[in-house]
Amino acid sequence: MRIALPNGLTENLSWPALRGRAVQWGGWLNDNDPVYKAARRPGRLEIGAGVGAILLIAAVVIFLALFNWNWLRGPIGRWASAKYDREVAIQGDLDVNLFSWTPSATVNGLKFGGPTWAREKDTANVEKIEASVRLRKLFAGQIEIPRLAITRPDVTLIADKTGRQSWELEPDKPATGSPARLPVINQLLITEGHVTLDEQKRGMTLDATVTARDAVGAQDDQAGFLLDGRGALNGAPLTLRIEGGAFVNIRRDTPYHFTADLRGSRSHLAADGSVTRPFDLGRFQATLTLEGQDLADLYTLTGIATPNTPPYRLSGALSRDDALWTFNDFSGRVGASDLSGDLKVGKVNDRMRVEAQLVSRRLDLDDMLAIFGARTRTTAAGDTTTVSSGVPGKLLPDAPLQVERLRAMDGSLTYRAQSVKANDLDIRQVNLGAELENGILNLAPVSFNFNRGELNGTARINAQKDTPYSTIDFRLAGYPLESIIPAANGSVPLSGRALGRARLEGPGASIHDFAGASKGSLSLVVPQGQMRAAFAELLGINASAGLRKLLSGDESTTEIRCAVADFNVSGGVARAQTLTIDTGVVLAKGTGTINLGAETFALRIDGETKKPRLLRVWAPITVAGGFTSPRIGVDVGQVVAQGGLAAALGAVISPIGALFAFVDPGLAKDANCGALIASAR
């Protein structure tokens, strides 16, 4: 044998040599150790101490063997009642067996009352609890329960509108947010369990049965864990079903498989996964599928504020790591649009924080309009069609912002639509970013890319008060006019690039309310462009030339020198500060208002021709009516004397005429386009 010696030396010893060394050490111990000497040759004192120790151990063993554990029911109940400020009592027998490698205890008739504010209902009443513990693990500082059997537990969980929870034993302690971590239970049995939940803040009730049983035979398909509940959520039906395998031979390093199915609030959540470390509820993984009529409905189930959407179906990998939840690599559809991305939910400074990165390969613009409150419906083919703003005859949505939901969490979001389904505005890509902090939502960027041109801006919504206050600043750059006025018979009647800016702020719970109370400015500029000569002639009311060119299909064009519309907004009413359109043959100037709250036009446009014409009508153009159905006409009072020519022209002139003024026989000079553009904000 090779042994180590001091200073790193080693020595090879045979078994006889080793025995010799042991004898030498034993001799030294016998000659020099007083304890060893006393043990080999005890005196009266040592003998008395030994006998006393044996008698004390025997007395303790006999006492424990004969002790009536029911004597401790009262003291235990009083101690627990004082500690947890509620009535705790053991109303039946208490039996303890300590003389085993797996000591056990049986508690009959355990009552756990409710807190002071919920005394009328006990938190738990259990007919019988049987539990054992593995002594060897306990000496090593670990708790392992070979068997836990619970008979007829009746549990009532109440959460009031202020957030107090009846099952919180020490409510004055700071909440850690950490889930329950139970010791390893090798075998868990629950017989005829019953759980009721009353969550008053969300209007949620649940009445569930709970069982956990072993297989009776090889053909027993009822073995395992089952929680099956029925209830209501805001008056609508709610169901919950959780299933798992039997709790037999459970090991900490072996994942425990489960399935869960939750239906309620027009939503369906289904999970198939496993608890990675059994009885450590802070860690699990699952495949989650969720579907429903509106993502906003999930708030009542999850507490996460999500926007209004059309019907959806999403599936991805759900995992939990202590207080951090992730929903990664999910994909599916929202309305007629695809959606994929990653979602993370955690806590920062005791506040829920949500971070999301979302992508759509192809976006249906109607689905995005639903986020802003537009009402949608789903066709039989699965397509989503925007129905209305929610108010007949109105364009701006009136759906109120749920400010209490924004105040309940913080977070960040990025969203990108790589392409957009063909739409009237010719939007090709969308890029959005959002930051929510303490009830203040900042949207930046808000970017829409068109076939040509783009709209970029920012928005800020302060939801710290019941009525939010919003600020927006959007810039339009290079938007093609031909996207507004489509081609007719292969000919584009109007072309050019539009520049614009909208700066508004004001209170309002919905887009409609915000517009109706806003202040700021609206500006639109067309630096240059082209239009069909036939329309230009009609704008100057040269009926002889304009009608002839229009009816003959003349495709020639004339110049748009510039067009500027600048409005000052106050109290939701936009008043024209500058409204000028300069073409090759007509210079037009306008006045009037646009009521953003009532969604109506009240504009008057007067024009001056730049060239003398043989046949003209001298009258202002009017734009009136609502945003959804504007009326374009001629001031009848000024054309009566000129016969029925205006009526004839009204049947021929395209709605593009609303954009330009016509009608004064005087010769006009070119508008000062540079100054007009500079003055537009």
Side-chain angles (χ1 to χ4, degrees), residues 402-583:
Q402 303 291 338
V403 293
E404 70 281 356
R405 299 186 180 185
L406 291 184
R407 293 196 291 258
M409 53 175 273
D410 301 325
S412 64
L413 174 143
T414 62
Y415 172 77
R416 177 175 175 79
Q418 298 173 349
S419 65
V420 181
K421 183 180 178 181
N423 56 89
D424 293 339
L425 297 176
D426 207 14
I427 296 174
R428 300 299 179 89
Q429 290 183 333
V430 177
N431 188 18
L432 301 176
E435 284 284 345
L436 176 61
E437 194 79 26
N438 293 320
I440 298 177
L441 177 63
N442 287 294
L443 300 173
V446 179
S447 178
F448 295 86
N449 293 334
F450 306 100
N451 180 30
R452 288 179 293 168
E454 58 187 15
L455 175 68
N456 294 300
T458 61
R460 184 177 188 270
I461 302 174
N462 187 336
Q464 292 180 333
K465 297 182 179 180
D466 291 340
T467 300
Y469 192 91
S470 304
T471 303
I472 66 170
D473 188 354
F474 292 101
R475 291 179 181 271
L476 179 68
Y479 188 75
L481 297 178
E482 50 267 39
S483 295
I484 302 175
I485 308 297
N489 299 323
S491 175
V492 178
L494 181 67
S495 64
R497 299 295 185 89
L499 310 174
R501 188 173 186 183
R503 291 187 296 178
L504 298 174
E505 62 177 288
S510 66
I511 293 179
H512 179 271
D513 292 345
F514 164 72
S518 62
K519 62 181 180 180
S521 62
L522 300 171
S523 303
L524 184 68
V525 175
V526 180
Q528 59 184 4
Q530 297 286 328
M531 70 180 301
R532 286 182 58 185
F535 289 117
E537 294 289 352
L538 287 177
L539 293 179
I541 306 303
N542 183 356
S544 59
L547 285 175
R548 185 174 65 252
K549 290 181 179 180
L550 183 65
L551 298 175
S552 65
D554 188 291
E555 300 293 335
S556 62
T557 61
T558 189
E559 177 186 18
I560 300 176
R561 299 179 59 84
C562 75
V564 176
D566 185 26
F567 291 84
N568 181 62
V569 182
S570 179
V573 177
R575 292 176 173 81
Q577 305 300 301
T578 302
L579 184 54
T580 301
I581 307 168
D582 185 13
T583 72

Side-chain angles (χ1 to χ4, degrees), residues 61-102:
V61 171
I62 294 172
F63 173 79
L64 293 176
L66 300 178
F67 181 72
N68 186 350
W69 291 94
N70 286 326
W71 294 342
L72 295 181
R73 293 182 306 172
I76 291 174
R78 288 189 293 273
W79 170 82
S81 298
K83 180 176 178 59
Y84 300 119
D85 193 25
R86 64 181 71 204
E87 182 184 2
V88 180
I90 300 175
Q91 298 173 327
D93 288 337
L94 173 62
D95 186 20
V96 179
N97 177 20
L98 296 178
F99 302 102
S100 170
W101 287 111
T102 55

Side-chain angles (χ1 to χ4, degrees), residues 130-425:
E130 301 171 86
S132 61
V133 63
R134 204 174 300 280
L135 196 60
R136 179 174 56 84
K137 291 285 187 179
L138 193 61
F139 287 152
Q142 302 175 4
I143 299 177
E144 184 174 315
I145 300 176
R147 183 175 185 271
L148 176 61
I150 306 173
T151 303
R152 295 188 181 88
D154 189 355
V155 179
T156 300
L157 307 176
I158 302 173
D160 68 5
K161 293 182 179 180
T162 65
R164 294 181 300 183
Q165 299 171 335
S166 65
W167 61 91
E168 182 62 56
L169 299 182
E170 297 178 285
D172 295 333
K173 279 190 175 182
T176 63
S178 298
R181 287 182 173 85
L182 304 177
V184 175
I185 304 173
N186 300 135
Q187 182 185 35
L188 174 64
L189 302 173
I190 302 176
T191 303
E192 298 181 21
H194 180 231
V195 177
T196 60
L197 171 67
D198 182 10
E199 216 282 18
Q200 299 170 4
K201 190 174 183 179
R202 290 187 287 177
M204 178 189 296
T205 61
L206 185 70
D207 190 299
T209 59
V210 183
T211 58
R213 56 185 292 263
D214 293 344
V216 176
Q219 304 300 320
D220 186 0
D221 59 355
Q222 300 298 316
F225 175 82
L226 173 63
L227 184 150
D228 190 11
R230 301 285 185 275
L233 183 60
N234 289 328
L238 175 72
T239 63
L240 173 63
R241 186 178 180 89
I242 302 175
E243 297 183 74
F247 289 100
V248 180
N249 298 323
I250 299 297
R251 297 173 58 88
R252 177 69 81 185
D253 56 354
T254 303
Y256 175 78
H257 178 260
F258 73 92
T259 61
D261 189 279
L262 174 63
R263 298 173 184 265
S265 187
R266 304 192 305 169
S267 306
H268 177 205
L269 284 70
D272 188 331
S274 60
V275 180
T276 53
R277 292 173 60 85
F279 301 105
D280 182 354
L281 303 182
R283 289 175 173 82
F284 68 81
Q285 298 176 340
T287 297
L288 174 66
T289 299
L290 54 152
E291 58 183 318
Q293 297 300 307
D294 189 337
L295 273 171
D297 295 333
L298 290 177
Y299 177 79
T300 55
L301 294 173
T302 66
I304 301 174
T306 49
N308 294 102
T309 67
Y312 65 92
R313 179 181 173 85
L314 301 169
S315 182
L318 176 70
S319 66
R320 182 179 188 180
D321 185 359
D322 202 4
L324 178 64
W325 296 74
T326 59
F327 186 38
N328 290 333
D329 297 325
F330 68 82
S331 61
R333 301 195 68 80
V334 176
S337 307
D338 68 275
L339 183 67
S340 60
D342 300 301
L343 179 72
K344 181 168 65 175
V345 181
K347 278 197 171 183
V348 177
N349 298 326
D350 293 330
R351 284 178 59 82
M352 180 187 295
R353 181 170 181 83
V354 180
E355 297 179 2
Q357 296 82 41
L358 309 177
V359 176
S360 291
R361 293 188 302 273
R362 187 171 177 81
L363 167 69
D364 188 321
L365 200 59
D366 284 345
D367 298 329
M368 177 167 285
L369 294 178
I371 295 176
F372 300 103
R375 304 298 194 268
T376 63
R377 63 180 175 85
T378 302
T379 65
D383 296 328
T384 301
T385 302
T386 300
V387 178
S388 70
S389 64
V391 178
K394 299 298 182 181
L395 179 65
L396 302 178
D398 71 334
L401 181 68
Q402 303 291 338
V403 293
E404 70 281 356
R405 299 186 180 185
L406 291 184
R407 293 196 291 258
M409 53 175 273
D410 301 325
S412 64
L413 174 143
T414 62
Y415 172 77
R416 177 175 175 79
Q418 298 173 349
S419 65
V420 181
K421 183 180 178 181
N423 56 89
D424 293 339
L425 297 176

